Amino acid sequence: MSFVLHMLGEALDRIASGDAELLATLGRTLWLAAASAFVAALVGIPLGARAGLRAHGPVGGFRAVAANIGLGLPPVVLGIILGLLLLPGAPLGGLRWLTTMNGIWLAQVLLAAPLVAALTAAAVAQGPANLVLQARALGASPRDRLLLLLGEIRPALLAAVLAAALLGIGEVGAVIIIGGNVAGHTNTLASTVVLDLAASDTAGATAHALLLLGLVGILTWMHGRARRAAGAAA
Amino acid sequence: MDAAALLTLTGLRVDRGGETVLDGLDLELRRGEVAVLLGPSGAGKSTLVLAAAGLIEVAGGAVEARGRVAAALQGAALARRSVRANVEAALGWWGVPRPERPGRATRALERCRAAHLADRAAGTLSGGEATRVHLARAVALDPDVLLLDEPFTALDPAVRGELLAEAGDLIRDARRATLVVLHDRTEAWAIADRLLVLLGGRIAADGAPAAILGAPPSEEVAAFLGFTGRLELAGGEILRLRPGQVTTVAPGEGDLDGTIEALIPEPDSAIARVATERGRLEVRVAVPGPSTGELVGLRLLGGARFEARA
Amino acid sequence: MSALVDGLRDGIHLVVTGDPQLYDTIGNTLSIAGRSTLIATLLGVPLGCWAALGGGRSHRWVRLVLAAGLRLPPVAVGLVLWLLMWPDSRWGGGPLAGLGWIYTTNAIVLAQTVLALPLVAALVAGGVEAVPGGLIQQARALGARPLAIAALAMREARPAVIGAILAGFGTSIAVVGAILVVGSGLSDATLATAALASWNAGGADAHAVANGLVLLALFVLVAAGATSLQHRRTAWTQLRS
């Protein structure tokens, strides 16, 4: 056990000393999580709201399977598909986004948007249908009704965006395939654990893992609060 | 169209879940009146409100409104905001300019005796309070046609009585046509100028409450309105009677005799179900009074006569 | 366009011609994910059922721990297991060093089990909680013992239970982060890690594409199975990598 405790101690030292590389990686990870969750929300909430308003009961058949695949697609698979598309000469090759943070960001938006859309659709479908109908009976326009509905399910939307951020933050499959895990450029807290272990820097790997766990803990706590608020509203 | 008609439903047909709920329904609501719509559960009362408010598709017929229609649907669905914000939001949906909203919201809440609730969160209201706010929200819009779907359900009896007593003043407006859907017949007498009975997808009775109760247009309407007794008279006529249209006397001294089959207790009396050779009827008896199996005389004090159907 | 088409064509070629290395990896993936799903099921189904049916403090705690476990980043889980299993250093080995599992298939099974267990248990708990409370109460009122209650709940929540097991399997085949850590050197251990390793080694490598395609096909099968059971449209699996 002393080995584990020693590594934890060294890792905490590394974090407390404000290691520059550690901070830079933390910054990249936070930027990535925020930027991908934000864009996933911009794309996913309108799509989910549309689907949720149209859905009367569960979606069946092929569309449901497709939705489920989008929700749980292994990041490695998405990474390879996107990687092929980003190759020079491929349709998105002109972007030159392979081994860049922009490429990772695109991958995580594509991973998170279906989740945001699905959670939004579920919240909208379970949302206060009576209230929306009542608003219509009192003359509310479609835009009024959508705003009313999104306002009513605000906590659920926040929970969806936080779930999207949680999804991306610990992900390494797409990060490594698209970003290449180039130290100092395209590594995140999670992918640095792999880098450091390969370089036999156990304390460094532990420090990055601890920071990652801390971030996940904070986001999970916020997510739990948002979900409870959404549950209390339902 | 009648000059005073604000809402006209013509040959209205509505299908829901593959079944025809309303089938060729005609109805005209006129300015200044409060019409109460009664009907058994599942008769399509809420469907009628939804169709009249333009909230569901109709399979046939026409809904014509002169002016704007607002509806307070069943169940007081309020947004998770303050009471005042709920009323003001509805005024916004209706298109009332922003500066006018606070004043109109306050006046409507006052009229519904809910002014003291203005700053409460909607989620913290009791059922009765939420109902007042729900009513206030619809009244605040001052629509040309106001539809209220069971506004008094889910209330405890005390609050219900209080609101009913005020409802007449609250709802009635000389410029407006108002339709109130009620489940409970007894509530209708308190507020209705005009009584409508929905049976079999159509309006089966339409008129002043006293007139309909005095002479129901059909046996089905009579049965729905509490004419529980049914006697077959000589000459093939059917006589329907409410319990209040029969009294008990000594055997042989009334119009006919019968045997008490069952006693259904009520607070200060009991309803006796009596079997006679012409059919069954119900009569109110004193408690303590006659017991089950006893022979009683019956005096008939009116009732409604119908031709027996072939 | 040609890069994309070439990559896909070379990948499909390997799948169709029955490349032995690829089929080895498929076999490994199914065997490892099958073992971890089996263990996660044996532990997770009873745990989820117990957590959902009880109202006590320990039940609530377990539910909290399961909810937190759902969010654990696989890389971090891998690192913790790595520290626990590391055989030797100046300060001795980790507490699980005696197993000798580091960088073996067993380590991968263990990591996948740790990741799948909370998911299986949480989904089972969710399914059991969705069983109408009145029914459970009624059974209690009729004198049903805890085991009978659990059997009733399992029966009522059967689609959710099967869905939970499928989700556990789907998660297991998608994991890469934990495997890169505890299975380092076993780069062709599973389809997911083999895809990643060969992509990193050679870009649009035919093996990377082939592994990715087969993984996608497996995943579509699991998703279709889960969908056919689904009553509620909820996120049925958590992304793990």
Side-chain angles (χ1 to χ4, degrees):
Chain A
M1 204 68 209
S2 69
F3 164 69
V4 176
L5 292 178
H6 182 85
M7 283 304 158
L8 287 176
E10 263 194 48
L12 287 174
D13 273 353
R14 192 87 70 97
I15 294 170
S17 69
D19 181 276
E21 187 275 326
L22 200 59
L23 288 181
T25 309
L26 175 65
R28 262 198 304 282
T29 306
L30 286 175
W31 174 85
L32 185 62
S36 55
F38 177 71
V39 177
L42 283 187
V43 177
I45 288 176
L47 287 178
R50 265 170 68 104
L53 284 176
R54 287 185 179 181
H56 298 289
V59 179
F62 175 74
R63 277 176 50 202
V65 177
N68 267 340
I69 293 169
L71 275 177
L73 189 68
V76 170
V77 172
L78 182 102
I80 286 184
I81 295 170
L82 185 60
L84 287 173
L85 288 170
L86 286 171
L87 282 174
L92 299 179
L95 292 173
R96 299 183 185 285
W97 274 4
L98 269 183
T99 65
T100 66
M101 285 305 282
N102 284 345
I104 303 181
W105 163 81
L106 179 58
Q108 297 212 334
V109 168
L110 293 176
L111 283 174
L115 180 67
V116 176
L119 293 175
T120 303
V124 165
Q126 290 160 19
N130 286 341
L131 177 63
V132 174
L133 189 62
Q134 176 60 65
R136 207 175 141 202
L138 299 176
S141 69
R143 192 174 146 274
D144 289 335
R145 299 198 299 266
L146 188 65
L147 288 179
L148 170 73
L149 183 59
L150 292 181
E152 287 291 301
I153 61 169
R154 222 167 24 221
L157 297 182
L158 178 62
V161 174
L162 287 170
L166 271 164
L167 190 70
I169 207 159
E171 192 275 322
V172 296
V175 167
I176 294 182
I177 287 181
I178 301 294
N181 213 10
V182 182
H185 288 283
T186 57
N187 57 326
T188 63
L189 286 175
S191 71
T192 309
V193 173
V194 180
L195 275 183
D196 280 357
L197 274 186
S200 298
D201 181 4
T202 312
T206 311
H208 285 92
L210 282 180
L211 269 188
L212 176 60
L213 281 173
L215 263 185
V216 167
I218 293 170
L219 284 174
T220 302
W221 176 75
M222 289 166 65
H223 178 257
R225 276 185 63 107
R227 277 193 48 173
R228 271 195 300 281
Chain B
M1 201 181 199
D2 188 322
L6 291 180
L7 183 75
T8 310
L9 312 179
T10 323
L12 186 66
R13 211 188 97 188
V14 179
D15 300 331
R16 301 201 91 180
E19 283 189 38
T20 300
V21 180
L22 301 178
D23 192 6
L25 179 142
D26 296 310
L27 175 63
E28 223 175 52
L29 291 179
R30 292 178 281 270
R31 192 185 294 279
E33 74 180 357
V34 175
V36 167
L37 180 71
L38 291 176
S41 300
K45 304 189 292 290
S46 294
T47 303
L48 174 56
V49 168
L50 292 172
L55 299 174
I56 51 173
E57 276 185 43
V58 301
V63 178
E64 286 173 72
R66 205 185 288 164
R68 296 183 70 186
V69 182
L73 306 178
Q74 208 178 121
L78 298 173
R80 282 186 306 120
R81 307 168 68 177
S82 75
V83 164
R84 168 178 294 284
N86 264 288
V87 180
E88 288 187 12
L91 287 163
W93 300 333
W94 196 248
V96 175
R98 194 177 292 275
E100 292 177 28
R101 293 179 204 165
R104 279 178 70 166
T106 305
R107 280 196 298 282
L109 286 169
E110 277 167 1
R111 283 186 64 187
C112 297
R113 299 206 185 168
H116 61 291
L117 303 173
D119 297 319
R120 290 262 300 276
T124 66
L125 301 179
S126 70
E129 289 168 341
T131 300
R132 284 165 186 269
V133 175
H134 187 48
L135 267 176
R137 185 168 58 171
V139 168
L141 305 187
D142 199 14
D144 302 292
V145 179
L146 179 60
L147 310 172
L148 304 173
D149 192 356
E150 307 223 0
F152 308 115
T153 45
L155 293 183
D156 58 76
V159 179
R160 200 182 175 107
E162 192 185 332
L163 258 182
L164 263 175
E166 301 163 9
D169 295 339
L170 185 65
I171 294 168
R172 184 163 286 106
D173 189 309
R175 290 162 302 159
R176 183 190 301 154
T178 307
L179 179 73
V180 187
V181 172
L182 293 177
H183 179 70
D184 187 341
R185 289 184 261 125
T186 55
E187 290 174 355
W189 316 128
I191 48 178
D193 305 330
R194 178 180 170 199
L195 190 65
L196 304 161
V197 178
L198 182 61
L199 281 177
R202 291 159 182 259
I203 301 294
D206 180 357
I212 292 183
L213 203 60
S218 71
E219 208 189 325
E220 287 77 17
V221 171
F224 172 72
L225 290 176
F227 288 71
T228 49
R230 186 176 194 276
L231 301 182
E232 289 174 16
L233 301 183
E237 267 188 329
I238 304 292
L239 181 66
R240 304 287 315 217
L241 295 142
R242 282 180 281 129
Q245 294 173 320
V246 186
T247 54
T248 50
V249 293
E253 290 182 10
D255 299 312
L256 73 171
D257 290 346
T259 314
I260 297 183
E261 282 187 324
L263 284 167
I264 303 146
E266 293 207 328
D268 298 311
S269 57
I271 296 288
R273 188 172 297 152
V274 183
T276 74
E277 55 190 9
R278 297 197 172 276
R280 287 191 172 72
L281 53 73
E282 291 185 345
V283 55
R284 188 164 275 113
V285 296
V287 176
S291 48
T292 308
E294 207 173 308
L295 187 73
V296 291
L298 300 164
R299 179 156 295 148
L300 310 182
L301 312 167
R305 286 164 193 265
F306 301 95
E307 292 295 318
R309 258 172 296 175
Chain C
M1 204 64 189
S2 69
L4 174 67
V5 174
D6 289 351
L8 283 175
R9 192 194 52 216
D10 294 350
I12 291 170
H13 181 75
L14 281 186
V15 179
V16 176
T17 55
D19 177 74
Q21 199 188 337
L22 174 65
Y23 280 78
D24 266 3
T25 309
I26 297 176
N28 269 342
T29 305
L30 293 177
S31 148
I32 293 174
R35 274 184 277 168
S36 38
T37 307
L38 179 66
I39 303 171
T41 300
L42 290 178
L43 298 175
V45 172
L47 184 66
C49 184
W50 175 83
L53 285 176
R57 178 177 294 203
S58 50
H59 299 82
R60 273 203 304 279
W61 258 102
V62 168
R63 268 176 293 195
L64 264 180
V65 170
L66 288 179
L70 275 178
R71 302 288 171 191
L72 283 179
V75 169
V77 169
L79 184 85
V80 170
L81 292 176
W82 188 93
L83 288 174
L84 295 176
M85 290 190 292
W86 188 245
D88 197 24
S89 75
R90 253 187 296 161
W91 307 275
L96 301 182
L99 293 172
W101 280 2
I102 192 81
Y103 301 153
T104 67
T105 308
N106 283 348
I108 300 177
V109 172
L110 176 62
Q112 289 190 357
T113 305
V114 170
L115 289 168
L117 176 63
L119 180 62
V120 172
L123 289 179
V124 167
V128 169
E129 271 167 15
V131 173
L135 180 64
I136 303 286
Q137 198 113 46
Q138 180 59 61
R140 285 204 177 108
L142 297 176
R145 300 283 170 125
L147 263 183
I149 299 274
L152 171 71
M154 286 292 95
R155 215 186 139 70
E156 291 291 312
R158 199 164 37 193
V161 174
I162 300 173
I165 296 169
L166 280 174
F169 187 79
T171 291
S172 292
I173 58 174
V175 172
V176 293
I179 302 177
L180 292 180
V181 175
V182 299
S184 172
L186 300 169
S187 62
D188 59 349
T190 68
L191 287 165
T193 50
L196 186 127
S198 40
W199 179 279
N200 268 17
D205 178 84
H207 272 104
V209 177
N211 285 307
L213 287 176
V214 176
L215 179 58
L216 178 62
L218 265 183
F219 189 77
V220 168
L221 278 181
V222 174
T227 310
S228 68
L229 294 164
Q230 210 166 25
H231 289 281
R232 299 183 305 164
R233 282 181 311 140
T234 47
W236 68 280
T237 182
Q238 308 281 319
L239 280 168
R240 296 288 176 115
S241 75

